[in-house]
Amino acid sequence: MKKIVLLITLFVSAQLAAQDYREMTNGIKTTINTVDIEIQFVNPATVRILKAPRGFQYAKESLSVNEKPQQIKLITRQQDGTLKMKSSKLEVHINLISGAVSFFTPGGKPLFKEKESGEKFTAFNDAGAETYRVKQSFILDREEAIYGLGI
């Protein structure tokens, strides 16, 4: 009996820790498995995902997303360990246990999915500046290619 109670306690504790997020004007901020994650809807069809090691401060602006965020209607709901954010043109899910992000049409058709624990940050010194090498992994169809993930 003690083993069952312990397992249930651990499961409930993991679920409670993973559900901690803050809603922002156009998205959310959370920390999952020592990774700070911010999901920002720029407009109904464009979303910016920011991931960094917990507490890492950076000021680099995006070269690919430079539009000022619009005021959009965003529906946010949590279901079965997944936080779902939906605009009129795009739905974004984040797994609150692993931090993996997935993209869907408003009708629920899958578009693009990050691998579970798909990011990796390796600390290194770049000419005197402490920074990270970043590895990001996605689930792709056999003939699919992705572009624009560089600097």
Side-chain angles (χ1 to χ4, degrees):
M1 185 67 168
K2 289 182 182 178
K3 288 181 182 179
I4 293 172
V5 172
L6 177 62
L7 290 175
I8 291 171
T9 302
L10 290 174
F11 177 74
V12 170
S13 296
Q15 289 294 323
L16 290 175
Q19 296 174 2
D20 185 30
Y21 64 90
R22 280 187 323 187
E23 287 192 51
M24 310 302 281
T25 304
N26 284 24
I28 62 104
K29 284 185 179 183
T30 188
T31 300
I32 300 173
N33 300 327
T34 71
V35 176
D36 289 339
I37 303 169
E38 187 171 349
I39 299 176
Q40 305 170 342
F41 276 78
V42 178
N43 61 48
T46 305
V47 66
R48 183 177 186 198
I49 310 295
L50 303 165
K51 290 190 175 188
R54 181 183 300 169
F56 182 73
Q57 299 297 314
Y58 54 91
K60 187 172 186 176
E61 295 295 320
S62 174
L63 298 176
S64 59
V65 180
N66 53 24
E67 179 180 345
K68 297 286 185 221
Q70 299 173 4
Q71 288 292 333
I72 60 168
K73 182 179 179 187
L74 189 61
I75 299 168
T76 303
R77 65 185 171 92
Q78 188 174 333
Q79 179 181 357
D80 300 327
T82 300
L83 183 63
K84 300 177 179 185
M85 292 153 281
K86 186 176 184 178
S87 72
S88 60
K89 302 205 180 232
L90 184 66
E91 188 167 338
V92 178
H93 297 184
I94 181 168
N95 182 306
L96 293 171
I97 305 298
S98 69
V101 179
S102 304
F103 302 87
F104 300 83
T105 66
K109 180 182 174 188
L111 295 171
F112 193 62
K113 185 175 183 179
E114 181 180 26
K115 287 185 179 179
E116 297 291 324
S117 302
E119 74 279 334
K120 181 178 179 184
F121 299 96
T122 306
F124 80 101
N125 185 303
D126 183 17
E130 295 299 322
T131 190
Y132 292 90
R133 284 188 186 93
V134 179
K135 179 180 178 183
Q136 186 69 51
S137 300
F138 300 94
I139 298 171
L140 303 174
D141 289 334
R142 175 167 258 171
E143 299 299 319
E144 186 175 19
I146 55 177
Y147 304 94
L149 296 176
I151 295 176

